[in-house]
Amino acid sequence: MELFQNLAQGFAVALTLTNLLLAVSGCFLGTVIGSLPGLGPSNGVAILIPLAFTLGLDATEALVLMTSVYYGAMYGGRISSILLNIPGDEPALMTTLDGYPMARKGRPGDALVLSGVASFFGALLATIGLMLLAPILAGIAYLFGPPEYFALYLLAFCTLGGLASKNQAKSALAAAIGLGIAMIGLDNSTGLPRFTYGEIHLFDGIDFLVAIVGLFAVSEIFIFIESHGKKSAIGVTLRKVTIPIKDIIHCLPTMLRSTLVGFVAGVLPGAGASLGSFLAYMAEKSIARDKSKFGHGNPRGVAAPEAGNNAAAGGALVPMLTLGVPGSGTTAVLLALLLTLNITPGPLLFQDRPEVVWGLIAALLIANFVLLIMNVPLVRLFVSILSVPPNILLPGIMMVSFAGIYSLSGSGFDLILMILFGLLGYLCRKVGVPTVPIILGILLGNKMEDALRDAMVISNGEISYLFSSGISIGLWVAAIVGFVLPIFLRPFLKTPPRPAD
Amino acid sequence: MTSDRIFGLAVLAVALFYLYSATAIQLGFLSDPVGSRTFPYLIGAVAALCGIYICIKPDPDPNWPAWPIIAKLAAATAVMYVFARLLKPMGFILPAAVASALLSYLISPNVKVSIIAGICLSLGLYLIFRAALGLSLSPFGDLF
């Protein structure tokens, strides 16, 4: 069995003391980040990348650390959703629907434990799914040439904005902004500058970490200054934490169904965790006999989005590792980490660097058990973090962002660029332009252009070569459907209203 | 409605400027069939179309902040800008203390908490960055 051999190799990598320590501290940091109101997985991972990079970790270690943070933040996100009715990020939104009412009804401990167990189920099964599916997909990825990659990138841009944005023109614009920024710098094939306007600092292009930290973390500070005073949610105090065994057993089928739904949504390039938790919740609601209980603290409504959300987080790693196309905002940030570490995701990664892939998978399996312990018996520890006041938290985030970016490049120019990206991110969020496609555009812009140019060199300028294989035609069709379909589906895909405070 | 119209026009203007800049890209001697300009042209065209579409079919206006809050946002931007400029000559500790105190005050105007937050964040984070993470941050820059 090749799988077991690979897994054994992975555990040999993951069970070293350094990696175990990194996984545990990553889980801890991630849960802290997730439970801080207003800090979600993507901005949390974003501000930590420059720091992880300066630690001088090797590729596997950095990946183990950051994916543990990623998983941890997905687990921790539920805490502020349930107790404060403030989702840390978009996927956690669905957890507020039943989680907060359940907490208000005097069962905050049960809601936290149940959602923690659901997170564990979702994430563990999704990691196993990743283990089984990724090698198969990596095998298919061998068949991808430049035209297929071009179509695949297009598909990611078409679906990523999709359900998250209310306006397809704005999602397309976001992709164009990102791709346009990626063009800045020296042209890969001619070596001549483009869009640099004579500014030396721009010759290397714009560092995507600067853009990511600006768009995610700095813009969060502006949003917070604006919204402060309005979001004074009434918190629910947590007293005794017991394990609601009856609810957990009762919700097991829900967790399994939601994990499947979430995992599939996560694997689709571009769709991501938001879709996973949304579909899991809606599916559970639609098959329930008594729909009226949803939205009023139904345990199944707590378990479904959390299992779906965490399963999607694992699923989103599949396209990211095998094809280099992230399935969500946070995996886009993780892709930036891979590129910074000089690792090119794709089928060759599985062949040439198996220790990275399998070490990562083994570390994630271990991380899930660590997270289960942190999020069920030790959940009180993280609940106390909720009381960190924003007038200390936000300046702290700012300092970490600035110090991280500054220590990477030592350039004041990058810091100013980061502030500009922060303003751009604030503006985009106000007018409803999604920021994740911008990041994806900056990350994939040059690869997408290279794919197009390589394809045209091979075919001598014959455009029909882009549609010459079954895979590429399928991807083009999927891209067009993925872009057009949400326009018609939108009336049916309304998120139920948030519970009132 | 209005803000989306303005936004759409701004997008269109930037897209046209982008397209104009793309026409000035120098081409290499051995050019491939696609060349250095085609992809930027495509991007500019998509952005311009989106700008036009947003102008024609604007979304309802978001809740724009009132003037006092805009002033706060501008002040926060200024604090960050000055901090970015001073980080090199003055090192981390002093600018970080002042900048975090000011930002804390902007979020909630409580002088005592702001000053404590500034000092604690600056010293605490410096110790973490330096001792635990080994970042190359100068404590006082060229000051001492």
Side-chain angles (χ1 to χ4, degrees):
Chain A
M1 282 298 283
E2 208 190 335
L3 179 67
F4 288 109
Q5 268 174 21
N6 286 332
L7 209 54
Q9 187 194 2
F11 273 104
V13 176
L15 286 172
T16 59
L17 186 64
T18 329
N19 282 334
L20 270 181
L21 272 177
L22 286 172
V24 172
S25 40
C27 290
F28 180 79
L29 266 177
T31 314
V32 169
I33 286 170
S35 43
L36 286 169
L39 249 192
S42 36
N43 32 32
V45 174
I47 60 171
L48 288 181
I49 285 186
L51 298 181
F53 197 60
T54 44
L55 276 175
L57 300 173
D58 73 24
T60 317
E61 291 166 348
L63 260 183
V64 166
L65 176 69
M66 297 315 285
T67 41
S68 309
V69 171
Y70 169 49
Y71 267 39
M74 298 306 283
Y75 270 74
R78 75 193 204 287
I79 299 178
S80 63
S81 306
I82 290 175
L83 294 181
L84 296 182
N85 195 19
I86 301 176
D89 65 339
E90 209 181 337
L93 189 82
M94 304 306 290
T95 314
T96 60
L97 299 179
D98 276 281
Y100 183 65
M102 188 167 169
R104 283 297 290 275
K105 281 185 178 164
R107 299 182 63 199
D110 291 356
L112 284 176
V113 172
L114 178 62
S115 56
V117 173
S119 299
F120 173 74
F121 260 90
L124 184 71
L125 292 178
T127 312
I128 295 171
L130 162 73
M131 201 167 85
L132 299 174
L133 189 60
I136 300 172
L137 202 61
I140 296 173
Y142 272 118
L143 305 172
F144 278 47
E148 285 80 13
Y149 269 109
F150 183 73
L152 178 71
Y153 295 145
L154 195 71
L155 169 66
F157 286 116
C158 287
T159 51
L160 192 59
L163 293 168
S165 162
K166 290 181 182 62
N167 185 332
Q168 292 300 70
K170 287 181 177 172
S171 330
L173 174 65
I177 294 173
L179 291 170
I181 292 171
M183 293 300 108
I184 297 172
L186 298 182
D187 182 335
N188 276 348
S189 35
T190 63
L192 292 167
R194 293 193 286 184
F195 304 104
T196 54
Y197 306 101
E199 174 69 61
I200 294 283
H201 292 293
L202 291 177
F203 273 55
D204 284 340
I206 287 179
D207 189 337
F208 41 72
L209 288 179
V210 173
I212 288 173
V213 178
L215 283 171
F216 285 163
V218 178
S219 73
E220 192 67 46
I221 299 173
F222 291 126
I223 292 280
F224 219 97
I225 292 177
E226 185 197 334
S227 69
H228 187 68
K230 286 180 216 156
K231 268 190 194 166
S232 53
I234 308 158
V236 177
T237 40
L238 179 67
R239 284 186 201 91
K240 227 173 119 197
V241 180
T242 50
I243 295 179
I245 296 168
K246 245 171 97 184
D247 280 332
I248 292 176
I249 294 170
H250 181 66
C251 288
L252 271 181
T254 302
M255 292 179 200
L256 290 176
R257 280 193 295 267
S258 304
T259 299
L260 186 69
V261 172
F263 185 73
V264 172
V267 170
L268 298 175
S274 317
L275 188 67
S277 65
F278 178 82
L279 286 181
Y281 183 88
M282 293 318 246
E284 206 51 40
K285 191 175 172 181
S286 67
I287 60 167
R289 255 178 257 124
D290 186 5
K291 290 181 182 48
S292 64
K293 276 189 187 156
F294 278 86
H296 299 285
N298 187 337
R300 284 168 67 187
V302 181
E306 273 309 305
N309 173 359
N310 285 279
L317 290 174
V318 176
M320 202 274 277
L321 288 173
T322 54
L323 298 167
V325 174
S328 66
T330 321
T331 34
V333 180
L334 285 176
L335 177 65
L337 172 74
L338 283 178
L339 297 177
T340 320
L341 294 166
N342 247 336
I343 298 176
T344 314
L348 286 178
L349 178 65
F350 284 74
Q351 196 187 19
D352 299 344
R353 309 282 301 270
E355 81 286 357
V356 173
V357 179
W358 294 99
L360 174 68
I361 290 175
L364 288 177
L365 288 172
I366 298 169
N368 270 312
F369 287 92
V370 176
L371 281 166
L372 182 68
I373 296 170
M374 284 186 182
N375 281 279
V376 175
L378 300 179
V379 71
R380 305 192 71 93
L381 184 68
F382 296 100
V383 169
S384 58
I385 288 165
L386 290 180
S387 49
V388 174
N391 53 354
I392 294 174
L393 176 66
L394 271 297
I397 293 173
M398 176 191 150
M399 288 303 132
V400 175
S401 315
F402 275 74
I405 292 295
Y406 185 73
S407 63
L408 267 189
S409 65
S411 120
F413 181 82
D414 278 351
L415 292 181
I416 295 190
L417 212 53
M418 180 176 84
I419 301 171
L420 291 177
F421 272 109
L423 289 170
L424 176 72
Y426 172 75
L427 185 72
C428 284
R429 283 161 77 167
K430 287 307 280 186
V431 296
V433 173
T435 46
V436 175
I438 302 182
I439 299 289
L440 200 63
I442 299 176
L443 285 173
L444 297 181
N446 291 311
K447 287 175 183 284
M448 190 170 174
E449 188 190 14
D450 288 346
L452 178 67
R453 288 168 89 160
D454 290 349
M456 289 300 105
V457 167
I458 296 169
S459 74
N460 231 332
E462 188 56 56
I463 292 178
S464 64
Y465 181 59
L466 288 178
F467 318 100
S468 58
S469 77
I471 296 178
S472 58
I473 293 173
L475 290 167
W476 275 89
V477 171
I480 294 166
V481 170
F483 189 72
V484 177
L485 201 61
I487 300 173
F488 299 105
L489 283 183
R490 203 156 282 138
F492 306 102
L493 288 174
K494 277 236 168 72
T495 315
R498 289 261 300 275
D501 285 327
Chain B
M1 301 286 278
T2 334
S3 68
D4 254 19
R5 290 236 158 84
I6 298 170
F7 177 66
L9 283 177
V11 167
L12 187 61
V14 174
L16 290 178
F17 176 71
Y18 192 84
L19 286 171
Y20 168 75
S21 304
T23 59
I25 294 172
Q26 274 179 285
L27 297 178
F29 293 111
L30 286 169
S31 196
D32 51 300
V34 175
S36 299
R37 292 179 189 164
T38 314
F39 202 62
Y41 283 156
L42 286 174
I43 298 167
V46 169
L49 285 177
C50 292
I52 294 170
Y53 182 85
I54 294 169
C55 279
I56 298 173
K57 291 194 86 177
D59 288 337
D61 276 349
N63 288 323
W64 289 102
W67 284 110
I69 298 204
I70 295 180
K72 268 191 181 181
L73 292 173
T77 314
V79 168
M80 289 186 206
Y81 177 80
V82 173
F83 176 62
R85 284 277 154 175
L86 292 184
L87 198 53
K88 201 163 211 160
M90 293 180 69
F92 182 78
I93 292 181
L94 287 179
V98 176
S100 0
L102 287 174
L103 201 64
S104 169
Y105 185 79
L106 282 171
I107 291 166
S108 105
N110 183 332
V111 180
K112 227 193 246 166
V113 174
S114 308
I115 292 173
I116 296 171
I119 294 171
C120 293
L121 278 174
S122 148
L123 289 177
L125 286 176
Y126 180 76
L127 283 180
I128 295 176
F129 290 150
R130 205 57 210 254
L133 301 177
L135 296 197
S136 55
L137 277 178
S138 156
F140 295 106
D142 307 331
L143 282 182
F144 302 108

